Amino acid sequence: MSRSLFLRDSVVRKNLMALTGLFLCLFLVIHLAGNLQLLLPAEQAQVQYNHYSELLSHNFFIKAVSYALYASILAHALYALILTRRAKQARGPQGYAYDKRGQVTPWYVRNMGVLGALLLAFIIIHMRDFWFQYKFTEMPLDAEGRKDLYTVVAVAYQQLWYVALYVVAMLVLGFHLLHGFHSAFQTLGLYHSKYNRWVKWAGYGYTFIITAGFAIIPIYMYFTQNQPLP
Amino acid sequence: MKIQLKIWRQENAKAKGKMVDYDLPDVNPEMSFLEMLDVLNEKLIRSGDDPIEFDHDCREGICGQCGLFINGRAHGPMSATTTCQLHMRHFEDGDTIYVEPFRASAFPVVKDLRIDRSAFDRIIQAGGFISTRTGDAPEANAIPIGHQTAEDAFDAAACIGCGACVATCKNASAALFTGAKVSHLAMLPQGEPESPERAEKMVAQMEAEGFGHCTNTGACEVECPQEISIEHIARMNFEYNKAAVLEK
Ligand code: HEM
Ligand code: SF4
Ligand code: FES
């Protein structure tokens, strides 16, 4: 491939958004699968979840993938910004005096950038509260001498506003994915009249499972562990 | 029927334009939208005013000249309809109707409602053709093309270059127009060999003209008078990616 590979034109840039987006989608499946352990009975969940977290943070392969993940989030957001600014220029300075274009498409399809920006804000909060604490701070240890991430999570989810924040963030994620999943396939050109119905439904199914799966965790923990802390 | 119009007036490409009010007290509901504008223009000419310039040619839905942005929608409130095929019976007595040019930085206003769509021509010139001389049209059954393929290619070939897709797109993307041409030729044996290269050249021109990117919102396929599907955009992306991967 000649010329500047990553900036050649909007199709290339859009491909990179689709690839990074789909990589994030894949990550979410694994992230959810791991976190479903939080739904186990409290004592078992604590041991198992802390063990799992320690395993992840010492695995070389996981480390490599997580760097790819951080890079993907940044690249995805950066390309979103570049493309959106260019689109604004393409629209031109003079808007329509009377604009009903929104009648033909759903709102979330037209607001992927806003949804994405909210997601980025959520990702930062989320990483600060769990990832940063786990990696860079002294943490209480559990009975087996492992960093007690489980309790940090459980305590966080005893605050109603924090649970609400997570549920709202998952709704934002849901709407971003509702369009993003099949949009990515269309962007990559992996789209065919015979299969596009399947891709759409796969996207809806994926979106539902991911959104509901992540949202259930804080709600469940709020209701089952809402007792005075030791 | 009685109609109130708010129409974009702009002296020339450089001038600042504005919406101007006009009243038409006696509109026949069987008139097409363009005939209604003709009536208004006759009135303006009789009273010594400058008539409103707008593009039109065939007035039968095939030339793609008549793009107008009516009441907030490209070609008006009906889907799959050109402005010349839109009739006043689709409006109510006493309605206020906004009429604006199709907007995009790649489609500068020439005067009033008339825009310069030559960016589309340059995209076609960049690769929307078959570069070998093939002589006269061959006997139709001499080239075996499956029925469904012929139908699909024809659906894409039906683009009339009106620009409604660009006008309605939140990113002012020309992906549906360009995709339709790339896809039309990619599906046929005459066009297929050059297809990846064609996709690259046409995308590069689309970019150079200053159109935005495609976010697959699907607004274009709703407003397209020829109901061209965004599947053709996916095929263009596929051909483009094929070129990028196979390029030496
Ligand atoms: C960092 C915050 C994020 C921002 C700023 C952002 C922004 C965007 C924007 C503006 C688009 C383009 C919309 C379009 O093409 O219609 C997009 C597409 C997409 N996003 Fe995100 N997003 C973010 C996070 C995510 C996450 C966390 C995921 C996945 C879990 C994701 C998955 C996707 C996918 C699959 C697409 C479709 C790509 C395509 O249409 O080709 N995004 N994103
Ligand atoms: S694709 Fe449809 S809307 Fe776009 S220029 Fe062609 S006919 Fe007009
Ligand atoms: S005037 Fe030719 S399509 Fe409307």
Side-chain angles (χ1 to χ4, degrees):
Chain A
M1 281 195 240
S2 55
R3 277 174 285 172
S4 70
L5 176 60
F6 295 111
L7 281 172
R8 182 147 77 173
D9 55 51
S10 50
V11 178
V12 168
R13 289 184 226 127
K14 197 65 204 311
N15 271 326
L16 286 160
M17 276 201 79
L19 289 172
T20 51
L22 287 178
F23 181 62
L24 294 176
C25 287
L26 183 66
F27 159 76
L28 287 184
V29 176
I30 297 159
H31 194 40
L32 178 60
N35 282 1
L36 285 178
Q37 295 174 83
L38 291 167
L39 298 180
L40 293 168
E43 278 101 71
Q44 195 191 345
Q46 184 180 25
V47 174
Q48 201 169 318
Y49 192 70
N50 289 344
H51 180 64
Y52 167 76
S53 305
E54 191 177 278
L55 212 67
L56 288 192
S57 64
H58 287 98
N59 184 309
F60 173 75
F61 175 71
I62 298 291
K63 250 186 200 153
V65 172
S66 50
Y67 284 117
L69 188 67
Y70 310 145
S72 290
I73 295 173
L74 292 179
H76 187 81
L78 187 67
Y79 281 114
L81 189 70
I82 296 174
L83 285 168
T84 307
R85 289 187 55 175
R86 221 192 98 90
K88 221 180 166 127
Q89 273 174 10
R91 264 270 123 248
Q94 183 66 52
Y96 291 112
Y98 188 79
D99 192 350
K100 290 279 168 204
R101 286 177 296 164
Q103 280 174 347
V104 302
T105 49
W107 68 271
Y108 57 89
V109 166
R110 283 175 275 124
N111 289 288
M112 289 293 279
V114 176
L115 293 170
L118 290 174
L119 278 179
L120 188 60
F122 169 74
I123 292 170
I124 292 169
I125 296 174
H126 176 62
M127 287 183 73
R128 184 201 63 185
D129 289 351
F130 299 135
W131 174 85
F132 182 81
Q133 281 217 40
Y134 192 78
K135 294 270 178 187
F136 300 106
T137 62
E138 288 283 331
M139 277 187 27
L141 304 180
D142 67 8
E144 310 198 351
R146 297 193 176 99
K147 284 190 169 185
D148 195 2
L149 185 60
Y150 177 81
T151 301
V152 172
V153 174
V155 169
Y157 289 162
Q158 286 182 27
Q159 297 152 275
L160 187 58
W161 71 269
Y162 203 75
V163 173
L165 173 77
Y166 269 63
V167 172
V168 170
M170 287 311 104
L171 280 177
V172 171
L173 175 67
F175 282 112
H176 194 74
L177 291 177
L178 209 53
H179 178 61
F181 187 91
H182 77 257
S183 174
F185 284 88
Q186 162 100 13
T187 296
L188 295 172
L190 305 173
Y191 192 87
H192 189 282
S193 53
K194 224 154 111 194
Y195 309 112
N196 66 25
R197 234 167 2 118
W198 296 71
V199 172
K200 264 201 169 149
W201 282 105
Y204 296 155
Y206 170 87
T207 302
F208 179 75
I209 291 170
I210 291 290
T211 322
F214 275 118
I216 277 172
I217 297 171
I219 296 175
Y220 173 85
M221 290 181 82
Y222 177 76
F223 283 111
T224 56
Q225 317 224 342
N226 205 352
Q227 47 203 276
L229 293 172
Chain B
M1 58 200 280
K2 195 170 139 49
I3 293 289
Q4 229 231 334
L5 291 155
K6 289 181 184 292
I7 300 181
W8 182 262
R9 300 300 312 256
Q10 181 173 338
E11 197 56 44
N12 55 51
K14 297 236 163 58
K16 222 173 113 62
K18 61 173 195 296
M19 301 297 285
V20 178
D21 291 0
Y22 299 96
D23 282 315
L24 276 185
D26 192 18
V27 173
N28 182 336
E30 302 309 322
M31 281 177 186
S32 77
F33 200 85
L34 297 186
E35 284 162 344
M36 181 275 292
L37 288 179
D38 292 339
V39 169
L40 174 60
N41 270 346
E42 278 168 25
K43 213 176 115 181
L44 290 177
I45 291 168
R46 266 199 302 270
S47 62
D49 288 328
D50 204 13
I52 298 156
E53 288 207 13
F54 58 92
D55 287 317
H56 64 105
D57 187 10
C58 70
R59 298 208 174 191
E60 54 187 9
I62 56 172
C63 76
Q65 280 297 305
C66 59
L68 292 179
F69 206 78
I70 301 163
N71 272 355
R73 299 270 302 271
H75 293 302
M78 319 287 291
S79 43
T81 308
T82 54
T83 302
C84 59
Q85 299 299 298
L86 176 68
H87 288 80
M88 295 313 294
R89 57 178 172 270
H90 295 300
F91 297 89
E92 307 271 329
D93 187 29
D95 268 3
T96 299
I97 306 174
Y98 286 75
V99 191
E100 299 171 72
F102 280 179
R103 299 234 183 251
S105 3
F107 287 167
V109 171
V110 177
K111 186 171 196 289
D112 299 335
L113 302 172
R114 236 176 82 210
I115 56 169
D116 175 2
R117 260 170 300 204
S118 57
F120 269 8
D121 301 337
R122 290 187 293 274
I123 292 176
I124 295 294
Q125 284 159 10
F129 49 81
I130 294 162
S131 57
T132 46
R133 283 182 184 278
T134 54
D136 290 340
E139 207 283 311
N141 290 323
I143 303 174
I145 296 169
H147 176 72
Q148 196 52 48
T149 309
E151 289 287 343
D152 291 347
F154 190 73
D155 284 348
C159 169
I160 56 178
C162 65
C165 44
V166 174
T168 199
C169 175
K170 78 181 178 67
N171 310 308
S173 169
L176 191 62
F177 169 80
T178 312
K181 188 46 66 192
V182 169
S183 180
H184 156 216
L185 293 174
M187 278 184 278
L188 298 173
Q190 298 95 327
E192 197 271 334
E194 287 178 282
S195 183
E197 196 189 330
R198 174 182 305 116
E200 270 201 315
K201 286 181 177 161
M202 292 180 74
V203 165
Q205 191 61 34
M206 178 168 82
E207 192 77 6
E209 298 293 346
F211 291 104
H213 66 301
C214 171
T215 60
N216 307 313
T217 62
C220 52
E221 69 178 1
V222 179
E223 299 298 11
C224 173
Q226 301 296 63
E227 301 187 279
I228 290 173
S229 157
I230 56 170
E231 215 176 279
H232 297 292
I233 300 177
R235 192 171 284 111
M236 169 177 74
N237 292 343
F238 182 79
E239 294 296 326
Y240 179 92
N241 289 338
K242 201 157 82 181
V245 171
L246 298 182
E247 198 174 66
K248 292 183 193 91

